[in-house]
Amino acid sequence: MTQKHYDTLVIGSGPGGEGAAMKLTKSGQKIAIVEKHDKVGGGCTHWGTIPSKALRHNISMMVDYKRNPLFQHTVEQVNVDYPRMLRVADSVIQEQVSTRYRYYSRNNVDIFYGIATFVDEHTLNILHFDGSAERVTADHFVIATGSSPYHPEDVDFSHPRVHDSDTILSLKHTPKSLTVYGAGVIGCEYASIFCNLDVKVNLVDTRDRLLSFLDDEITDALSYHLRNQGVVIRNNEEYTRVEALDDGVVLHCKSGKKFKTDILLWANGRSGNTSGMGLEEIGVRINHRGQIEVNEKYQTDQAHIFAAGDVAGPPGLASASYDQGRFVGAQISAGKCDWSLIEQFPTGIYTNPEISSLGKSERELTEQQVPYEVGHAMFKSIARAQITGHTVGMLKILFHRETFEILGIHCFGETAAEIIHIGQAIMSQKGSANSLLYFTETTFNYPTMAEAYRVAALNGLNRIF
């Protein structure tokens, strides 16, 4: 059997794999990608970020339409179901796939479709969809196979009423009621999506508050607005069993509570996609979550094998995965990287309203005994928010009382994930350039949401002077 040889083989075509492949091919290497599905893009494009965010956007547009007084006389005529929303999201997926094909074609990146298994440290066996197989070799490997929803053994995911965050995107009807088990990012996002389709939603949280890694004021606001939209939130609950019936699903909890709804969405954890790849046989360590153990260079115990993205562990964000892929590509092609991965990256959580956060929270600063102050800009007072009708939310800046260094930025409301990047640019500056005073001494377009930075900065300074 003849074998093709490459400088680097990238396993997985999601953000991590794409970032690595693009960096490596631009560096002059001969590159190939192995993709286990029939289209490139990975879970991010087909089952995760893109479809869920496109779905959320379309539902938000429908909510805006229903709230707009100009269209009140037509509201009763609008009845869009969940499957139709999904079909609209499909068009975005196809655009993303086409874009990525152009990237790979222009840059002469070969694509193999099939399941990759390591035969030895430098050889992959690729099992194609038609049952045929071939072997390819490479000097280096980048594993970017992503993650999948965690499935506990005692939950029957083959039952048509039991779903995870992948299978919920193939639901063929709009349920009347839904229980979401797990109130992390994915659980909160889907609770927000379904409640805006007039579905009765139970959000069952295993912790004492939603998204406890965020600033408390932000999570308090999220809890309030989810409840205001009809979501029933139950904190500090842990399941004992899932009872799947013909007419619904019952989630039994240790507290004695029972939640019976049309369907159950299990959103409690994810596992790295490493099963069956033969990694442990060649000396690559896997932890109990199926994630690959790597060093600060994202290098495994086998020096020529790297991992990037969800399969390498936290933070599990598409944005961070792409940067990790590029970082790994630089390590392979040049032996070093002339830039470092940022330690503080923005989180984007696409609930309705959405959330974005960067840097320290009030809780963290208090525990670290840092003298800080807070500046707020409530969206209800921002002209652009009043014009668009998106007056729910706020921008919150945490800064050092003495140096005015920006320590944390937290935003809740429409376009929060866009707004955060203005503050990120200033926070990333060195020394005195990272200063709250930038926002008080800069002219912002009016009316814009960006103006919230000036309002929040002045509000904070007024607390000191």
Side-chain angles (χ1 to χ4, degrees):
M1 181 185 295
T2 59
Q3 295 182 348
K4 295 179 180 178
H5 183 81
Y6 293 89
D7 295 318
T8 302
L9 275 170
V10 179
I11 308 173
S13 65
E18 180 185 326
M22 290 298 101
K23 179 64 177 177
L24 287 163
T25 191
K26 296 292 186 184
S27 301
Q29 288 204 2
K30 184 181 180 183
I31 304 300
I33 281 183
V34 184
E35 172 53 55
K36 70 178 291 186
H37 300 288
D38 59 354
K39 294 178 182 177
V40 297
C44 170
T45 299
H46 296 281
W47 307 279
T49 302
I50 296 303
S52 64
K53 276 52 177 182
L55 175 64
R56 183 259 184 197
H57 173 73
N58 291 326
I59 290 174
S60 295
M61 289 180 63
M62 182 186 70
V63 170
D64 286 347
Y65 179 89
K66 289 183 175 181
R67 288 176 180 169
N68 194 316
L70 287 174
F71 308 119
Q72 286 299 307
H73 63 289
T74 65
V75 167
E76 293 182 359
Q77 302 172 26
V78 178
N79 185 21
V80 182
D81 61 8
Y82 182 72
R84 186 173 178 185
M85 289 286 185
L86 289 175
R87 287 195 295 273
V88 174
D90 284 342
S91 63
V92 182
I93 295 172
Q94 297 311 314
E95 287 288 342
Q96 287 286 303
V97 170
S98 297
T99 299
R100 280 161 175 76
Y101 276 133
R102 290 196 296 271
Y103 290 162
Y104 297 134
S105 177
R106 284 202 306 262
N107 290 281
N108 300 312
V109 176
D110 292 343
I111 304 174
F112 294 94
Y113 294 99
I115 298 173
T117 306
F118 278 90
V119 177
D120 57 45
E121 291 89 340
H122 287 276
T123 307
L124 276 186
N125 183 73
I126 303 173
L127 178 63
H128 298 298
F129 303 136
D130 62 2
S132 64
E134 64 180 309
R135 293 188 175 184
V136 290
T137 59
D139 297 326
H140 293 89
F141 295 86
V142 178
I143 303 171
T145 49
S147 64
S148 299
Y150 169 65
H151 283 189
E153 294 181 357
D154 60 343
V155 177
D156 181 12
F157 286 90
S158 66
H159 195 282
R161 292 184 181 273
V162 179
H163 294 269
D164 59 30
S165 58
D166 287 353
T167 62
I168 199 71
L169 290 166
S170 59
L171 192 64
K172 301 300 184 185
H173 68 286
T174 305
K176 292 182 178 179
S177 57
L178 163 72
T179 294
V180 181
Y181 183 72
V185 172
I186 293 173
C188 287
E189 288 182 348
Y190 274 105
S192 182
I193 284 171
F194 277 99
C195 75
N196 280 296
L197 285 173
D198 295 326
V199 177
K200 294 180 180 179
V201 178
N202 298 315
L203 181 57
V204 181
D205 188 4
T206 59
R207 301 182 181 182
D208 61 350
R209 63 186 300 120
L210 300 181
L211 305 178
S212 55
F213 61 90
L214 293 175
D215 188 85
D216 290 348
E217 190 172 5
I218 298 297
T219 56
D220 287 345
L222 174 63
S223 297
Y224 170 81
H225 286 286
L226 283 177
R227 287 187 170 108
N228 194 48
Q229 295 169 36
V231 176
V232 175
I233 301 173
R234 291 289 181 262
N235 295 316
N236 291 317
E237 296 287 354
E238 188 175 347
Y239 90 104
T240 55
R241 64 189 179 99
V242 173
E243 184 182 8
L245 307 170
D246 291 339
D247 63 341
V249 181
V250 182
L251 178 72
H252 296 260
C253 294
K254 286 185 177 180
S255 65
K257 294 186 183 71
K258 299 178 182 179
F259 302 93
K260 183 178 182 180
T261 47
D262 283 352
I263 63 173
L264 171 73
L265 170 57
W266 187 274
N268 194 38
R270 297 183 68 83
S271 302
N273 293 330
T274 51
S275 178
M277 292 183 65
L279 292 171
E280 293 173 301
E281 288 79 356
I282 61 169
V284 174
R285 285 180 297 137
I286 310 296
N287 67 21
H288 70 286
R289 301 294 301 215
Q291 299 160 341
I292 297 173
E293 299 283 358
V294 294
N295 61 20
E296 70 280 357
K297 296 181 179 180
Y298 288 84
Q299 190 175 34
T300 70
D301 292 338
Q302 292 288 346
H304 66 291
I305 300 178
F306 294 74
D310 286 15
V311 76
L317 297 171
S319 53
S321 296
Y322 189 87
D323 289 341
Q324 289 170 13
R326 291 185 62 241
F327 180 82
V328 164
Q331 297 288 347
I332 293 173
S333 60
K336 62 179 182 178
C337 189
D338 56 7
W339 52 275
S340 59
L341 292 172
I342 59 174
E343 294 182 3
Q344 293 187 338
F345 45 83
T347 58
I349 300 169
Y350 295 88
T351 48
N352 190 3
E354 66 190 56
I355 298 170
S356 196
S357 180
L358 176 65
K360 302 291 186 180
S361 67
E362 285 201 63
R363 187 186 334 111
E364 291 171 320
L365 293 173
T366 300
E367 290 172 353
Q368 295 167 14
Q369 298 184 339
V370 176
Y372 73 94
E373 193 49 85
V374 184
H376 284 98
M378 309 308 291
F379 285 1
K380 64 183 179 181
S381 66
I382 303 297
R384 184 61 178 267
Q386 294 168 352
I387 292 169
T388 61
H390 294 134
T391 55
V392 171
M394 65 176 173
L395 173 67
K396 175 179 180 179
I397 303 177
L398 307 181
F399 63 96
H400 198 287
R401 285 183 59 90
E402 298 163 6
T403 66
F404 298 144
E405 175 190 0
I406 300 172
L407 305 169
I409 303 171
H410 308 279
C411 192
F412 178 77
E414 187 69 13
T415 68
E418 301 284 353
I419 294 169
I420 198 76
H421 294 299
I422 300 169
Q424 180 188 29
I426 304 306
M427 276 188 69
S428 66
Q429 302 304 304
K430 302 298 183 183
S432 61
N434 174 10
S435 173
L436 183 78
L437 298 180
Y438 171 84
F439 298 118
T440 63
E441 298 168 358
T442 297
T443 301
F444 289 90
N445 281 332
Y446 179 85
T448 60
M449 293 306 297
E451 182 202 5
Y453 277 98
R454 177 179 59 81
V455 175
L458 290 171
N459 176 263
L461 292 178
N462 286 338
R463 297 178 186 274
I464 297 177
F465 300 115

